[in-house]
Amino acid sequence: MLDNKKLTELKLTAANVRKHILTGTHAAASGHPGGSLSIADVITLLYFEVMNTSPETAKSPDRDRFVLSKGHCAPALYGVLAERGYFPKEDIATLRRTGSYLQGHPDMKAIPGVDMSSGSLGQGISAANGMALAGKIDKRDFRVYTILGDGELEEGQVWEAAMYASHYKLDNLTAFVDFNGLQIDGDIEKVMSPLPIDKKFEAFGWNVIVCDAHDFNALLDAINQAKETKGKPTMIILKSVKGKGVSFMENNPSWHGSAPNDEQYAQAIAEIDAEIERIKEGA
Amino acid sequence: MQKSATREAYGLALAEFGEKYDIIVLDADLSKSTKTDTFLKKFPERFFNTGIAEGNMMSTAAGIASCGKIVFASSFAMFAAGRAFEQIRNSICYPNLNVKIGATHAGISVGEDGATHQCLEDIGIMRTIPNMVIINPADKAESILAVEAAIKHDGPVYLRFGRLAVPEIFDRDTYKFEIGKGVELIEGTDVTIIATGLLVPEAMTAADKLKEEGISARVINMATIKPIDREIIEKAARETGAIVTAEEHNVIGGLGSAVAEVLCEVAPVPMLRIGTQDVFGQSGKPAELFEVYGLTAENIVAKAKEVIRLKNK
C-alpha cells in the first residue's frame, strides 16, 4: 500500500503528465492524446515508484527497462520522463517539430531515458522479450516492463512474442495491455475483436491479472504479484478509460489520433488544473 | 577445386568466433539448414530458437542487442529480408542496433524448392534501409572473414549466403577482406566484370575465355554491396570504359543497380547487367537454372563482347 503522501504525489505527477500530453499534442497539432491519457497513471507509477532507473543510471546495465510497445502514446512517456528529470519540461512543446529530438514515436538514439525505439505495433513486446532474455543470459536481476494497446493485440507478432515469452519462462517481464476498448476505427469488438484477452494470454502460458488502470494501489499490487510470479511472464490487463482526465476526450475514439485546438486545449488544461486543486485539498 | 556452400562457412565461422566473441545466435527453426546448429552444438547456452516466427526473431534480436550484445539472427533470405523487412527496418536499423542477419539460401541456386524460396530481391530491399551494411561473400574463406568483419562492425549487417556448394577460390590466410572494399582479382583493360557471390568464379572463367580471344577483361569481386566501393567502380570505368555486372539477384535493386548509380553520377560508360531479368525463378537443378537465367560464364563472355561494341560505337 502507498501511504497518503506518496499517493498524493503520484496523483499530482500523473496530472502533470496529462498536462504535458495535452501541451505536446496541442503544440504539434498532431499526435495521440486519447491512449496517452489512458496510460498516464501506470507509466507515472512505473517511473516514480516501481522501476529501478533514473536519469543518473539511464545507461546502467542493471537498470530496469521500459518499452512502449504502443509507441504512438509517446506523449505519455515523454511527459513522465520530463517530470522525472531526463530532459527539460519546456522541450515538450517541441514534440513532433522538425529538428526536435522529441520524435513522434520513441527514438532511443535521440531521447534520454528511452530504452527502445518503438511505434510499429507488435514489435515492442518482442524487443522487451529480447531484453528480458539478455537479463537471464547475463544473470542480471533487472526487470522489463512494456505496455501494449488493446488494438495492438490484433498484430500477429504479439502472439509470436507471447509464445516466446512463456517458452523461455521470462518471469522478469511484466507486460500491460491498455484495455480501453477503442482503436482508431472505433470499438475494438467491432473492428476486430481481440477478446477474451485474459483467456488468450492464459492459454499462451502467462500469469494474467486484471486491474483498474487508474487506481495506484491496485496497480502496485498487480505489479508486485507479477514480481513474485516465477517461471512465467505476467500480463496485467489495465481496465482503462481512453482520454482519462479530460471530460470531452473520455471514451471517444476520435481523440485517438487528433490534437486539441486552442479552445479545447484551454478547457482540458482547466479541467486538469481543477483536478490538481482537488488532489491538494484531499491530501 | 574444392567446393563448399557459403552457409556451411557461416556455421563454421559462428562456432569459431563464438570462442573469441560474446555472440548470441537466434534461428527460426532452420538451424540445420542455415548451419547455425554448428554453433548450437558448441554453445547451447547462447543459442535460442524462436520457432517459425521471423518477425518476432528480428525484434527480439534488437532487444537483446540493446543490452549490449552482438546478435546473429538467421533464416532463409526470403523470410529474413522478405517477411521480416519491417522489423529489420524499425526494430534494428532505425536504432542502429548490433544485429547481424545471417540470410542463407539466397538466390536461384536454392534450386528445386522453386520460386517461393528463391529470394532474388533481398539485396534491393535491404539496400534501401539506412544504417544497413550488405555483404554477399563468394566462397568459404570470404564468408568466414565477412562474419568476423560483421562482428567487429558496430551496427546492423546483412550477410547473404547460398545453399549450393561453390568453388573455394580464396586463401583465408592471404585474402584481405574489408567491408566496403571491392577486390580486383584479374587485371584487364578492355572491359570490367564486376561480380558478387557465386557469379565471381563464373566471372573469372569468363575472363580466361575472353583472354583466349584477345580481350583483356578486368574482374572485380564486389562482396560488399553496401556501402558500395565507389572508387574501384569509377577507376574501372575510366580505365576500361565498359562494365558488366553479374549477380544471382534481380537486376533491379541489386549489384547492377548499385554500380549503375555510381557510374551515372561520376563516370558514365556503357554497362550491361547479368542477373535475373525481373522474373520469378522456378524449380530445377541449380546448374540448369543458371543456364535458363543466363548466370553463366558463357553469358558473361557474350555480354562483355556486347558492351565493348557499345563502347566502340
Side-chain angles (χ1 to χ4, degrees):
Chain A
M1 281 285 278
L2 297 155
D3 62 40
N4 277 341
K5 183 169 173 285
K6 186 76 204 176
L7 190 59
T8 302
E9 282 172 12
L10 287 167
K11 284 180 181 173
L12 289 171
T13 305
N16 285 324
V17 168
R18 288 193 161 89
K19 287 172 75 172
H20 292 316
I21 292 166
L22 295 160
T23 300
T25 53
H26 170 251
S30 74
H32 299 81
S36 298
L37 291 166
S38 65
I39 60 166
D41 296 317
V42 66
I43 205 164
T44 298
L45 184 71
L46 286 172
Y47 276 89
F48 280 84
E49 181 65 24
V50 174
M51 285 170 57
N52 170 31
T53 189
S54 67
E56 295 72 37
T57 59
K59 297 283 173 205
S60 161
D62 291 312
R63 75 188 189 280
D64 288 343
R65 284 152 171 88
F66 176 76
V67 182
L68 186 60
S69 199
K70 50 177 285 181
H72 55 282
C73 295
L77 176 59
Y78 300 168
V80 88
L81 291 175
E83 283 293 315
R84 192 76 175 77
Y86 285 88
F87 49 78
K89 293 173 193 171
E90 303 83 73
D91 291 358
I92 292 289
T94 69
L95 177 69
R96 290 176 165 244
R97 292 266 175 89
T98 307
S100 170
Y101 63 96
L102 293 178
Q103 293 294 297
H105 292 82
D107 175 357
M108 65 184 284
K109 287 288 170 190
I111 307 170
V114 172
D115 293 319
M116 176 55 62
S117 301
S118 61
S120 180
L121 297 178
Q123 298 186 23
I125 182 174
S126 298
N129 279 346
M131 293 172 172
L133 188 73
K136 297 266 182 196
I137 294 167
D138 286 345
K139 298 186 170 53
R140 294 186 191 274
D141 60 5
F142 65 78
R143 294 192 63 79
V144 183
Y145 297 89
T146 184
I147 303 179
L148 296 97
D150 48 7
E152 184 178 5
L153 303 183
E154 293 157 11
E155 284 283 3
Q157 186 172 345
V158 169
W159 303 100
E160 295 181 0
M163 219 182 315
Y164 187 96
S166 67
H167 182 85
Y168 285 108
K169 300 181 170 48
L170 300 179
D171 52 14
N172 51 348
L173 172 72
T174 302
F176 302 86
V177 59
D178 181 24
F179 184 24
N180 58 38
L182 298 172
Q183 58 190 115
I184 307 182
D185 274 354
D187 189 327
I188 58 165
E189 288 190 68
K190 290 200 179 117
V191 176
M192 177 50 63
S193 178
L195 307 185
I197 299 170
D198 53 350
K199 296 278 189 299
K200 283 197 175 78
F201 278 96
E202 278 166 13
F204 274 74
W206 288 56
N207 174 45
V208 177
I209 302 168
V210 181
C211 177
D212 180 342
H214 310 298
D215 178 337
F216 286 107
N217 275 312
L219 286 168
L220 190 59
D221 274 355
I223 290 164
N224 286 335
Q225 278 180 51
K227 278 185 193 168
E228 282 153 23
T229 302
K230 298 297 167 202
K232 53 166 82 172
T234 293
M235 174 58 74
I236 299 175
I237 300 172
L238 302 169
K239 290 167 74 176
S240 64
V241 175
K242 194 152 188 162
K244 174 74 178 176
V246 178
S247 61
F248 59 91
M249 290 187 178
E250 288 191 0
N251 294 311
N252 183 348
S254 62
W255 291 102
H256 175 94
S258 52
N261 62 26
D262 291 349
E263 194 186 332
Q264 291 160 334
Y265 174 65
Q267 188 190 333
I269 292 293
E271 285 186 21
I272 291 169
D273 280 338
E275 175 64 14
I276 288 173
E277 288 312 309
R278 280 194 295 276
I279 294 165
K280 284 180 179 166
E281 281 164 20
Chain B
M1 191 179 280
Q2 190 116 10
K3 282 187 166 188
S4 63
T6 52
R7 62 178 166 135
E8 299 277 356
Y10 174 51
L12 292 172
L14 291 178
E16 178 183 333
F17 298 128
E19 300 270 2
K20 203 160 138 193
Y21 303 99
D22 183 21
I23 56 175
I24 303 291
V25 177
L26 308 181
D27 203 299
D29 191 43
L30 289 169
S31 65
K32 291 182 179 68
S33 302
T34 63
K35 299 299 168 191
T36 58
D37 66 342
T38 316
F39 178 89
L40 163 65
K41 281 171 197 145
K42 212 163 152 191
F43 305 104
E45 72 289 351
R46 283 193 271 147
F47 176 91
F48 300 90
N49 208 320
T50 64
I52 312 165
E54 297 79 10
N56 180 50
M57 173 171 72
M58 294 304 174
S59 302
T60 302
I64 300 170
S66 79
C67 296
K69 297 198 168 292
I70 300 166
V71 189
F72 281 79
S74 302
S75 183
F76 289 180
M78 191 71 253
F79 315 123
R83 180 176 300 229
F85 161 76
E86 204 239 310
Q87 286 83 358
I88 292 173
R89 180 193 185 274
N90 279 322
S91 290
I92 296 171
C93 290
Y94 177 44
N96 201 20
L97 290 168
N98 225 347
V99 178
K100 321 300 171 186
I101 295 153
T104 69
H105 295 66
I108 204 98
S109 58
V110 165
E112 290 81 350
D113 275 353
T116 54
H117 286 56
Q118 292 163 341
C119 193
L120 297 163
E121 305 84 8
D122 54 330
I123 295 173
I125 302 167
M126 291 293 107
R127 208 158 69 81
T128 56
I129 312 177
N131 292 334
M132 184 60 101
V133 166
I134 303 171
I135 309 173
N136 184 28
D139 82 336
K140 178 181 177 179
E142 189 167 58
S143 297
I144 293 171
L145 294 169
V147 169
E148 188 166 30
I151 290 170
K152 289 179 174 169
H153 175 80
D154 186 19
V157 178
Y158 182 82
L159 291 151
R160 188 181 203 241
F161 302 110
R163 171 180 177 269
L164 187 71
V166 292
E168 295 179 8
I169 49 182
F170 302 125
D171 177 354
R172 181 176 168 179
D173 296 327
T174 56
Y175 185 71
K176 293 267 177 290
F177 177 83
E178 198 182 329
I179 290 175
K181 291 285 178 211
V183 177
E184 187 177 305
L185 301 177
I186 297 173
E187 291 179 8
T189 53
D190 298 329
V191 61
T192 300
I193 305 160
I194 303 178
T196 192
L198 57 71
L199 267 298
V200 173
E202 295 297 318
M204 293 165 81
T205 306
D208 287 345
K209 288 182 178 172
L210 287 162
K211 195 177 178 186
E212 286 165 18
E213 298 182 42
I215 296 168
S216 167
R218 181 179 299 186
V219 174
I220 292 169
N221 170 26
M222 198 69 90
T224 312
I225 316 291
K226 187 184 174 187
I228 195 84
D229 186 344
R230 301 177 67 92
E231 218 169 286
I232 204 168
I233 295 170
E234 185 179 347
K235 186 164 177 279
R238 295 200 191 285
E239 291 175 1
T240 70
I243 307 275
V244 173
T245 57
E247 62 191 311
E248 191 195 7
H249 187 278
N250 192 344
V251 289
I252 297 176
L255 172 72
S257 291
V259 170
E261 287 161 16
V262 176
L263 290 180
C264 287
E265 284 179 357
V266 298
V269 295
M271 80 169 285
L272 292 171
R273 295 170 295 157
I274 290 171
T276 52
Q277 302 295 317
D278 202 23
V279 291
F280 288 106
Q282 59 178 302
S283 292
K285 286 195 167 59
E288 292 167 4
L289 295 175
F290 295 154
E291 292 289 338
V292 171
Y293 296 99
L295 309 178
T296 59
E298 290 70 30
N299 193 33
I300 296 173
V301 167
K303 288 288 185 293
K305 289 178 185 171
E306 195 181 330
V307 83
I308 290 169
R309 278 197 297 276
L310 290 172
K311 173 173 82 166
N312 295 334
K313 242 185 189 172

